[in-house]
Amino acid sequence: MWKNTNGTICIALDLYNYIVVDTNVSVYNIGDIIEYEAMRNGDLLFITHRIVSIDTENGQYIVKGDANTGTETIDEDQIIGKVCEIVNFEPDLID
């Protein structure tokens, strides 16, 4: 289970919702929300985006956060799994 902390897929997920990721999926389709890993500035990040296109010839996926304007191309081996459940989280209110 991962916690959404970056807000780039906020159309489908509220910030800080928890997601359950199925790591046993072998086929991904356009529209699937996936969790993948990517290196940014030397840091390994786990990112939740939606598949918007598939380049079957090169084994790559074009993904996009719902709140983003641009897309990103990732390799199939970066994909951790498909988001199969969103768990709503209501933080406690602090006076």
Side-chain angles (χ1 to χ4, degrees):
M1 186 178 297
W2 279 269
K3 183 177 10 176
N4 179 37
T5 58
N6 67 12
T8 62
I9 191 92
C10 67
I11 302 299
L13 299 174
D14 289 330
L15 193 59
Y16 297 107
N17 278 162
Y18 285 88
I19 57 174
V20 178
V21 177
D22 183 350
T23 59
N24 293 315
V25 176
S26 59
V27 176
Y28 298 96
N29 299 298
I30 293 172
D32 287 349
I33 300 174
I34 59 167
E35 188 76 14
Y36 66 96
E37 57 186 20
M39 292 297 292
R40 299 281 195 296
N41 300 317
D43 294 323
L44 178 63
L45 301 179
F46 298 98
I47 302 170
T48 309
H49 280 171
R50 186 182 307 275
I51 296 172
V52 295
S53 182
I54 301 171
D55 179 353
T56 54
E57 210 172 280
N58 296 310
Q60 295 180 315
Y61 294 80
I62 293 78
V63 297
K64 179 182 171 297
D66 289 354
N68 292 353
T69 56
T71 61
E72 181 175 350
T73 300
I74 63 168
D75 293 322
E76 188 169 19
D77 63 357
Q78 291 177 259
I79 298 175
I80 296 167
K82 178 180 173 180
V83 174
C84 61
E85 186 176 350
I86 299 169
V87 180
N88 291 322
F89 173 72
E90 295 291 333
D92 293 332
L93 296 175
I94 301 174
D95 292 339

